[in-house]
Structure formats: C-alpha cells, structure tokens
Amino acid sequence: MSLFLGIDIGTSGTKTLVINEEGRILASATAGYPCHVPQPLWSEQDPEDWWSAVVATVRAVMFKGKFQPGDVRAIGLSGQMHGSVFLDKSDRVLRRAILWNDQRTASECGEIETLAGGREKLIGMVSNPAMTGFTAPKILWLRNHEPDLYEKTAKILLPKDEIRRRLIGDYVSEVSDASGTLLLDVANRCWSKPLLTALSLDESVLPRLVESEDVTGSLTESAAAALGLTTNCLVVGGAGDCAAGALGNGIVRQGILSTSIGTSGVVFVHSDEVKTDSGGRVHTFCHAVRGKWHMMGVTLASGGSLAWFRNALCESLVEKAKQERVDVYELLTREAAGTRVGSDGLFFLPYLSGERTPHADPFARGAFIGLTLAHTRGHLVRAIMEGVTYSLRDSLEIFRSLAVPVSEIRASGGGARSPFWRQMQADVFDTPVVTTNSEEGAAYGVALLAGVGGGAWSRIEEACDACVSVVSTTEATKAAAAEYDRAFPEYRQLYLSLRDDFRRIAELD
C-alpha cells in the first residue's frame, strides 16, 4: 500500500492528511500555535512551533490510521506564503518569522521601487509591484532595522521550505511559493538576477528552485525518526497555500476560477499564459501546474474579519454556543440571515490588516459605515460577510476587465461550507457558484502533488481529474443580485473617500 501525506503550515495551525492511491482521505489532524503581534499591524511566528505541529500531526494521522512507517511513499508541503525565515550559517533561526499579513515594510516597498527604476520596471522584472506582505521588503527591513541579524543571515526560506529543510536537510523552494517573494522572474520561472542586483542581494541566500511536483529529496534519519516514518519517504516541491488550495479544488485548467474564504480571502484563476496587470492590482504567479501560471487577488482579512468580531464582541454568544454544542459561527449566521440583503444600508470595509487587492494599502483600516440605532448584531455580521464578498468581487471585476476567461466559479474554505455565505457569493458575483467533493484545500492539493511525485499519477491534471468533482451548484437569486449590483459601486467608493483619512489615522498610531 502506498500512502501520501499533505502538510499545510497555515497561519492559525498546521493540517496534515493522508490519502491513498485513489485520492481518498484516510485520516487528518490539526495542531494550532500562536501568532505574535509585537506592535500594531506586525505579525510573527516561531518556526519551532511549525515544526512541533508537523511532528504532532504526522504522528497523529499515522496513529489514527494504524499505518506502518513504510506505507508513506511521499510528502507534499504547503504553507502560508511570503513569510521570511532567516537562518545563520549553522541553520539556526535568527528571529521569529515575519508573516504574510505583516504591514511594517511600507517604506521598504518604496525603496524597492526606487532601486528597481520605478514601479513599471519592477512589474516588468517580476510581474508584480512591491507589496508589504511580500518577502523581499521583509529582507530589506531586516537590513535597515536589524543589521546585526542581517549580517548573520546565510539563508532565507519561506515557511514550508523551512519545514522541508528540517525534513531533507536541503534548501529548496518551488516556483508557486517563490513567486510571492517578489524576487522571482515569474515569466521565466527563475530568480530575477536584475532585481537581485538592483537590491544588492546575493542569490546564494535563496534556495534552489523546482516545479511543484518534482521530488526534492527524501527524509533524513533524524526527520524520519521524529515523524515515525522511513528514509525511503520522498518530499516533493509542493506549493504555496493559494496554489495548493486551487489544486485541491481542481483549478488546473483555463476558465475555472476559485474563491476561498479562510483567514484571508483569495480569488484565483488559472492561466495557460503569463498575463500581467500593468497596474499591479492583482498578482501574477507561477501555478503549481508545470509550465502554467495563475492570477490572484487577495483580501487580507476575510474570514479573519468575522473571527475578529466573534472574539472581540461575542463572548456571551460563544458561551451560548458551548451550551448548545453548536459552532458559534452557526449562531452568528442565523442572526445575519434574519436581516435583509444589503444590511439596511450598513457597509463594512474588511481592511483590518490593511489591504492587498485592489488597493495595496497598508494604511487602510476596517470600518463600519452607515450605522443607525436600528441596526442589530445580525446586521453587523451580515455587513461583514457582504463586505468580504464585495472585496472578492473587486478581484473578479479586474479579471473580467483583462479578458481572463471565467466559465465557472468554485468556492472553498469557510465561505463554501456555509450555505448562507455560498448563496451570498452567487448573488454578489451574479454567477453560479459550485462546490466540489474536496473540502480539505491546500493539504489535499499537496497530497495530490505527493501522489504525482510518488508515481500514483503522471501529472497533477490527471490527479485532479481522478479525484475532484463538482457536487453542488448555487444559482444567483435575481432580486438579491440586483440589490448587490446597486450597492457594489457604493462599497468601492467608500475606500476612495476614506483613503487619505486612513493614512492620517495611521500617523496617529
């Protein structure tokens, strides 16, 4: 029996699952860890927490399934993108990793554009503008603010690739995750020597690059012992979490678009060719499909906005949910469903962590606008869900303006599991939204990549065709779609009206 593991090093925790040669999930496990916020809008994690979670979840799935160590043929890795792990020459981690949703690098983004010769030239080099969440600005931030640690830095790895280093003892990344560093020549799928030169960065600090399904090595003796596996277990390239989640949802051909609502929100569309938005409003990255690309828009706090509301303002409801033995989100959704489309004129801007698409503004702030004495908690919840969905439509509208074909929208993440939010997406997009039989997202996507690397399938397209299928379709409601179509321009205008105020508020911070 050959089994394949998919490991996703997420922001809130790590998920590991095991599949067989038919793609059936046999066991899964998760383990959480903290996120540190040493200053407002900063976000860091300890890579040691990731490793502990990987060991715990791999051992858990092996125990649950009563599998033998030699049963696992290959491992696929996914992880939160853009994070930076700084290692010294002895492979010691020099500081906590700076994460994708950290906003400290606004000045470094400007520095990168200047050194590259301007925004247009930068996009020409790496297909994307400088954004605070990307890895390159974090490297310059370390150089500018923690020069002693920068001088000790011998290698810089992305989160999943730090786990790979601990698994195989080598420094390797793959092109989908590397696209989010801002240092990759996305069109040619290699590190951008012109940009590295302009930034005075040495390519030797970066890992070697492979395609997502390529085998990068096998487990070292120490890693095999820690996980309870064998040194015959292969580790494939894997993918950044967005591309991995797309694989898990079968987004491997042109015309299929996915929306994912987790901590962040992602709108993802496959492309057979490199297509770059000259305005830099959406990302153009290498896909985890060999020789293919994708475009992507990101909302930094989508499900995270609803989680903030739950944690900050719903203590009594959390207790009620415990007593009733139901998910607190189910109770919140019930209250939201009792209000009208459009939340009776209440809008929410989901910019609690700044924003990525389409505004790329680290100074943007979350806001409720239009509150009256008539509004209830249900209105607030619905406004959050509508605001997040409007933010995803922002990306969809950009793809449509660039003539990127979209024939089908597949929903995943928490927004897909909720029938109420799924209907809202169909109504806001005015397009049918489908779900698939795959609900495990990134971990499942890289488990399929492990299957390709381990010989179960010849290509990732073959794996997805065999394992992923549409199971439900939600049609748009005509009246609701018309209401949302009327409100959407007002939502878009609110950011424009408040943009300068957001910057002044940030200065007060």
Side-chain angles (χ1 to χ4, degrees):
M1 176 171 61
S2 290
L3 302 177
F4 308 99
L5 295 183
I7 303 174
D8 177 35
I9 298 93
T11 309
S12 58
T14 286
K15 171 182 283 188
T16 295
L17 57 80
V18 57
I19 65 171
N20 62 14
E21 291 173 298
E22 288 75 48
R24 186 163 64 89
I25 297 172
L26 304 180
S28 67
T30 59
Y33 32 71
C35 184
H36 305 278
V37 185
Q39 293 188 35
L41 300 182
W42 288 25
S43 184
E44 300 178 349
Q45 283 180 332
D46 186 345
E48 196 63 38
D49 290 340
W50 303 335
W51 176 244
S52 296
V54 168
V55 172
T57 55
V58 170
R59 285 191 166 274
V61 296
M62 295 298 290
F63 177 79
K64 286 180 180 179
K66 296 182 171 57
F67 306 123
Q68 297 302 308
D71 292 341
V72 179
R73 173 66 179 152
I75 294 172
L77 295 172
S78 174
Q80 49 180 294
M81 297 180 69
H82 314 301
S84 53
V85 179
F86 299 100
L87 303 173
D88 68 11
K89 62 183 179 181
S90 299
D91 286 343
R92 287 189 291 259
V93 176
L94 291 168
R95 69 176 323 281
R96 286 195 300 233
I98 305 174
L99 303 189
W100 58 276
N101 54 351
D102 188 286
Q103 299 287 352
R104 76 184 70 181
T105 61
S107 62
E108 283 74 23
C109 288
E111 182 181 354
I112 289 172
E113 285 196 1
T114 299
L115 292 173
R119 181 183 174 90
E120 186 176 335
K121 286 188 177 180
L122 177 63
I123 293 174
M125 291 179 188
V126 292
S127 299
N128 296 279
M131 295 186 177
T132 51
F134 287 3
T135 313
K138 297 177 174 66
I139 299 172
L140 268 63
W141 184 90
L142 191 76
R143 185 166 70 187
N144 293 339
H145 296 273
E146 297 178 356
D148 291 345
L149 293 183
Y150 180 80
E151 288 301 319
K152 295 178 182 178
T153 299
K155 286 290 180 183
I156 302 166
L157 298 177
L158 295 162
K160 82 173 194 314
D161 301 325
E162 164 62 5
I163 297 302
R164 185 197 318 280
R165 177 190 68 81
R166 298 183 185 223
L167 294 177
I168 69 172
D170 197 4
Y171 315 103
V172 188
S173 190
E174 47 69 46
V175 291
S176 75
D177 210 359
S179 296
T181 64
L182 197 71
L183 297 172
L184 190 80
D185 178 344
V186 170
N188 294 301
R189 307 172 88 87
C190 62
W191 296 120
S192 172
K193 295 184 185 299
L195 185 56
L196 288 169
T197 299
L199 301 182
S200 299
L201 297 176
D202 194 324
E203 188 174 338
S204 66
V205 302
L206 301 175
R208 66 182 174 92
L209 294 170
V210 299
E211 291 285 336
S212 295
E213 63 197 34
D214 289 343
V215 174
T216 60
S218 56
L219 295 184
T220 65
E221 289 186 4
S222 61
L227 300 178
L229 304 177
T230 73
T231 57
N232 292 325
C233 180
L234 306 174
V235 179
V236 302
D241 57 357
C242 295
L247 295 185
N249 211 18
I251 314 298
V252 294
R253 290 188 175 83
Q254 189 148 291
I256 305 179
L257 178 145
S258 72
T259 62
S260 174
I261 299 176
T263 302
S264 63
V266 177
V267 182
F268 183 110
V269 65
H270 176 101
S271 179
D272 287 339
E273 301 172 345
V274 182
K275 291 194 175 185
T276 300
D277 175 28
S278 60
R281 296 168 297 172
V282 292
H283 308 325
T284 297
F285 289 168
C286 299
H287 199 352
V289 181
R290 185 180 295 274
K292 304 298 182 182
W293 290 264
H294 68 82
M295 300 186 77
M296 182 172 67
V298 177
T299 298
L300 292 178
S302 57
S305 291
L306 196 55
W308 162 80
F309 184 82
R310 175 203 64 190
N311 295 336
L313 299 171
C314 298
E315 184 176 347
S316 63
L317 198 66
V318 170
E319 288 303 314
K320 180 180 179 182
K322 288 179 181 178
Q323 293 170 7
E324 296 184 10
R325 296 184 179 181
V326 297
D327 191 325
V328 66
Y329 289 115
E330 182 179 333
L331 299 184
L332 288 170
T333 300
R334 284 183 204 167
E335 294 186 4
T339 65
R340 293 188 295 186
V341 169
S343 304
D344 287 328
L346 180 62
F347 287 88
F348 176 74
L349 301 184
Y351 307 146
L352 299 179
S353 297
E355 192 49 306
R356 181 82 61 82
T357 306
H359 307 302
D361 184 356
F363 302 108
R365 295 291 187 269
F368 284 105
I369 301 167
L371 276 168
T372 71
L373 291 173
H375 287 122
T376 65
R377 181 168 60 195
H379 286 96
L380 295 173
V381 175
R382 184 175 195 127
I384 290 172
M385 299 172 81
E386 289 176 341
V388 168
T389 311
Y390 286 145
S391 75
L392 301 181
R393 179 170 166 176
D394 268 334
S395 295
L396 178 58
E397 293 295 326
I398 294 170
F399 295 148
R400 286 170 170 165
S401 72
L402 296 172
V404 176
V406 177
S407 57
E408 180 177 282
I409 295 178
R410 295 186 178 186
S412 61
R417 288 189 290 273
S418 163
F420 178 74
W421 211 338
R422 203 161 61 234
Q423 182 66 61
M424 184 182 291
Q425 289 186 69
D427 294 340
V428 170
F429 303 148
D430 196 12
T431 303
V433 170
V434 307
T435 60
T436 69
N437 61 331
S438 172
E439 297 182 354
E440 297 294 342
Y444 188 67
V446 292
L448 293 177
L449 283 172
V452 175
W457 301 281
S458 61
R459 299 180 305 139
I460 189 59
E461 295 96 327
E462 178 189 343
C464 289
D465 288 346
C467 302
V468 182
S469 59
V470 171
V471 296
S472 76
T473 301
T474 302
E475 300 284 347
T477 304
K478 188 173 181 180
E483 283 295 312
Y484 285 131
D485 210 43
R486 190 164 66 92
F488 180 61
E490 298 302 323
Y491 164 84
R492 299 181 92 178
Q493 181 59 42
L494 289 172
Y495 169 79
L496 299 176
S497 299
L498 292 169
R499 177 176 52 201
D500 293 341
D501 297 303
F502 285 146
R503 187 170 292 269
R504 287 191 289 270
I505 291 170
E507 290 173 355
L508 293 176
D509 288 344

